[in-house]
């Protein structure tokens, strides 16, 4: 199998992947006095700002939720999830071009690069998630054991983003407009996903059309978990799961067929 062979090559270079992730993480603190504190400073600031604005000043209501923090939790859950998607996809699309000099000089499986991005972005998300959970504990809105449902939803999101990212990264080597187009697409994609607005507030016709957005059921799953609702609609995740598998196959296939030409094109 194409993918198994490439994954075996990556496994051979697992020390290189692990070392790259560690160096990337530590490089963020080089020359700083506060070090690791900067990792949680940004999400803490975001959570504090939205809590003050929406829970204490604007006080918007969430249907079915009496807590004044409900909308703040809804919004932060969506923004944290979107930040993972945007960071991972944005970095992966341009990964081969960004590391062109390394690819020309050093021989290693090119697939290591998007995997490094995926793991690094996921580690950042887990740190942000832990910070968010601390906030939920402080305000008495912790989701309980339902938080464990985040893991399969996160794996599905990473698989979807990786498949799309590898495919676009491969094409971007030959058509540099792809990276610019993704930047524009992400602006529309953000507003077509229920992050700052509640999906139930949309007209039925608009809601049924936007449900073709694969991030829609993923976002609903995260928001349901953090708001402590009855449970995740697992059946609704079948669509992004099928799409994630299709994109992983397409991404690996396109990469397999074109990887020999990537260095020459760079």
């Amino acid at each position: 199998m194409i993918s198994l062979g490439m994954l075996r090559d990556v496994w051979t270079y697992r020390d290189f992947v692990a070392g790259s992730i560690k160096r990337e993480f530590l490089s963020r603190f080089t020359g700083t006095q506060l070090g690791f504190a900067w990792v949680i400073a940004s999400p803490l600031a975001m959570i504090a700002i939205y809590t003050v604005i929406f829970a204490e000043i604007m006080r918007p209501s969430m249907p079915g939720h009496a807590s004044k923090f409900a909308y703040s939790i809804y919004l932060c859950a969506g923004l944290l999830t979107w930040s993972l998607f945007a960071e991972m996809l944005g970095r992966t699309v341009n990964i081969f071009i960004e590391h062109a000099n390394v690819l020309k000089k050093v021989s290693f499986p090119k697939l290591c690069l998007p995997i490094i991005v995926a793991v690094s972005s996921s580690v950042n998300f887990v740190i942000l998630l832990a910070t968010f959970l601390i906030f939920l504990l402080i305000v008495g809105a912790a989701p309980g054991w339902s938080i464990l449902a985040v893991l399969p939803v996160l794996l599905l999101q990473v698989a979807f983003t990786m498949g799309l990212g590898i495919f676009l990264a491969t094409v971007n080597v030959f058509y540099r407009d792809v990276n610019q187009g993704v930047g524009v697409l992400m602006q529309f994609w953000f507003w077509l996903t229920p992050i700052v607005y509640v999906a139930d507030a949309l007209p039925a016709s608009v809601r049924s059309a936007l449900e073709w957005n694969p991030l829609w059921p993923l976002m609903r799953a995260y928001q349901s978990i953090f708001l402590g609702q009855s449970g995740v609609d697992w059946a609704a995740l079948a669509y992004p799961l099928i799409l994630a598998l299709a994109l992983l196959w397409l991404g690996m296939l396109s990469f397999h067929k074109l990887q020999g030409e990537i260095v020459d094109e760079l």
Side-chain angles (χ1 to χ4, degrees):
M1 295 292 290
I2 294 172
S3 58
L4 291 179
M6 289 188 288
L7 290 176
R8 279 196 297 268
D9 293 338
V10 172
W11 179 250
T12 303
Y13 281 78
R14 59 189 180 277
D15 291 337
F16 166 75
V17 172
S20 298
I21 295 169
K22 181 179 179 180
R23 284 193 300 272
E24 180 177 312
F25 186 76
L26 293 178
S27 66
R28 299 168 59 186
F29 315 126
T30 301
T32 66
Q33 298 299 315
L34 297 180
F36 182 78
W38 287 115
V39 177
I40 61 175
S42 180
L44 276 177
M46 182 193 74
I47 293 169
I49 290 170
Y50 288 135
T51 299
V52 171
I53 292 176
F54 293 109
E56 300 296 340
I57 300 176
M58 296 182 65
R59 299 188 179 182
S61 60
M62 280 282 295
H65 298 277
S67 173
K68 67 177 183 178
F69 297 106
Y71 182 74
S72 298
I73 295 171
Y74 178 90
L75 181 60
C76 290
L79 289 175
L80 291 177
T81 303
W82 176 263
S83 69
L84 170 63
F85 174 67
E87 177 188 355
M88 189 181 299
L89 184 62
R91 291 183 59 194
T92 303
V93 169
N94 207 43
I95 194 68
F96 297 132
I97 295 174
E98 182 182 338
H99 291 82
N101 291 333
V102 176
L103 291 172
K104 292 175 183 177
K105 297 176 182 178
V106 183
S107 177
F108 65 94
K110 302 176 187 66
L111 196 59
C112 288
L113 294 177
I115 290 177
I116 290 170
V117 169
V119 176
S120 177
S121 298
S122 298
V123 169
N124 291 338
F125 176 76
V126 170
I127 295 173
L128 299 183
L129 177 62
T131 305
F132 186 42
L133 289 175
I134 293 173
F135 161 76
L136 295 180
L137 284 170
I138 293 174
V139 301
W145 288 107
S146 62
I147 190 62
L148 296 177
V150 164
L151 182 57
V153 179
L154 174 61
L155 291 175
L156 176 54
Q157 180 183 344
V158 170
F160 170 79
T161 312
M162 278 285 289
L164 180 60
I166 292 173
F167 172 71
L168 293 176
T170 304
V171 177
N172 188 48
V173 172
F174 304 93
Y175 302 97
R176 304 296 172 90
D177 291 335
V178 170
N179 186 46
Q180 303 300 323
V182 168
V184 175
L185 174 64
M186 294 297 281
Q187 297 181 57
F188 287 96
W189 205 337
F190 176 85
W191 291 105
L192 293 175
T193 307
I195 298 173
V196 299
Y197 57 86
V198 181
D200 293 340
L202 298 174
S205 57
V206 176
R207 190 165 61 247
S208 61
L210 292 183
E211 284 182 350
W212 288 100
N213 174 2
L215 286 186
W216 189 282
L218 285 169
M219 199 64 65
R220 275 200 310 246
Y222 282 112
Q223 290 161 343
S224 296
I225 293 168
F226 290 118
L227 284 170
Q229 295 178 336
S230 56
V232 175
D233 184 0
W234 297 108
L237 295 178
Y239 167 55
L241 174 60
I242 293 171
L243 198 54
L245 294 175
L247 285 171
L248 281 171
W249 175 82
L250 179 62
M252 297 295 279
L253 180 64
S254 59
F255 177 79
H256 174 73
K257 289 184 175 295
L258 296 172
Q259 64 174 328
E261 304 175 30
I262 288 178
V263 175
D264 294 335
E265 188 66 24
L266 292 172

